[in-house]
Amino acid sequence: MHSTPHPAAPGPASGEPRKRRTSRFGPDRFRVGDAIMVLAYVVLFVAGAAALLTLIPGFTQAFTTGETAAAAVNFIVYAVLFTGAMIMAFPTLAHSFRTFAYHPWAKAFMVPGAWVANLVVTTIVIVSLGGAVKSENQLAIEGMTTSVPFPTMLVMAVVMGPFVEEYVFRHLLIGKLSRKVNVWVCVVISIVLFAGMHFLGSGSFDPTAAIPYVSLGAVISVAYVLSGKSLAYSYLIHLLNNLIALTVAYFLLPLVPGA
């Protein structure tokens, strides 16, 4: 008696194209709340509506210096945007921490590794072009270090600011926009707009001032895509970058003569 062979397991037909592997942490469709957040970000930062807070009677007079008043405006605006971004993207943020379940040691190493890579690239490019030119954003932060307490700046520039920017420039401009546009086109758009926002208002329009932001935007954007569009991963890299920069500005630059 001959046994009847079992049918082969079903699989893709010969020559049939394989399905594209989807992102592990790809965000859902663009929602009304996302549009509201983008509008708020543009109005408050690009259009400069945040400065209207200084027109409130007694607001500026409540602070001892112009730097502390400016920090208060930024803190209030970032607190509002941070709250909105968390409402819109917290499920994605929490889920995307699972990126560390895949090759956890490599992923953990690449958070500081990405920062070091950004620093090396930025230094090489700036030195080759003849030296650094500070943007208005960097000058404002350094000015605040003499009058704004470190814990306040820590919350604003390390916790809230990076998350708001990762929500806008990576989660929306790459994660959600790439549902309609090629992901690497979205990466270029994200890098250009990210650098442009930090370069805005520098006055000198020297491209050298934009190099650190172009480099940082490129490193974070590529890491975001390669980590499966993990918002948590890009946020941690951005957070680490700002933490180191803020620590240097508060505790190391004052020790350097003429800095």
Side-chain angles (χ1 to χ4, degrees):
M1 178 180 287
H2 297 284
S3 59
T4 304
H6 293 287
S14 177
E16 181 180 335
R18 294 182 179 180
K19 292 182 179 179
R20 290 178 68 182
R21 188 172 65 178
T22 56
S23 169
R24 292 191 181 104
F25 313 106
D28 58 6
R29 60 184 177 81
F30 195 84
R31 293 180 286 171
V32 173
D34 295 320
I36 293 173
M37 287 298 300
V38 171
L39 179 62
Y41 187 87
V42 170
V43 169
L44 291 171
F45 283 116
V46 179
L52 294 177
L53 286 172
T54 60
L55 300 180
I56 298 175
F59 181 90
T60 303
Q61 290 72 21
F63 302 95
T64 55
T65 65
E67 286 81 6
T68 53
V73 170
N74 285 331
F75 192 95
I76 293 170
V77 171
Y78 270 123
V80 171
L81 294 177
F82 177 79
T83 301
M86 272 292 179
I87 290 172
M88 295 303 302
F90 182 77
T92 299
L93 176 69
H95 174 64
S96 63
F97 270 104
R98 295 181 185 177
T99 185
F100 290 98
Y102 308 94
H103 311 294
W105 288 108
K107 291 283 180 63
F109 171 76
M110 281 310 299
V111 171
W115 179 83
V116 172
N118 169 63
L119 179 64
V120 170
V121 171
T122 300
T123 302
I124 291 174
V125 174
I126 288 178
V127 170
S128 66
L129 292 178
V133 176
K134 294 182 180 179
S135 68
E136 187 72 17
N137 179 72
Q138 182 63 33
L139 291 172
I141 291 175
E142 291 181 6
M144 291 178 186
T145 61
T146 60
S147 54
V148 180
F150 179 75
T152 301
M153 288 293 288
L154 185 71
V155 173
M156 179 175 67
V158 176
V159 178
M160 295 193 299
F163 184 72
V164 171
E165 292 179 354
E166 290 311 304
Y167 166 76
V168 173
F169 295 103
R170 254 60 70 177
H171 181 66
L172 298 184
L173 283 180
I174 298 179
K176 295 201 174 188
L177 184 60
S178 65
R179 293 167 63 91
K180 303 292 184 182
V181 182
N182 178 274
V183 67
W184 296 110
V185 173
C186 295
V187 165
V188 173
I189 294 172
S190 173
I191 294 170
V192 171
L193 294 182
F194 177 77
M197 278 302 303
H198 291 84
F199 190 46
L200 211 60
S202 64
S204 66
F205 299 105
D206 191 323
T208 308
I211 289 172
Y213 303 108
V214 171
S215 177
L216 179 63
V219 167
I220 298 178
S221 297
V222 171
Y224 174 76
V225 173
L226 296 184
S227 64
K229 297 179 181 176
S230 171
L231 178 60
Y233 200 64
S234 65
Y235 177 41
L236 287 177
I237 295 174
H238 200 157
L239 183 152
L240 176 66
N241 176 80
N242 285 21
L243 176 61
I244 294 174
L246 196 67
T247 301
V248 169
Y250 267 87
F251 302 110
L252 294 184
L253 281 184
L255 302 178
V256 179

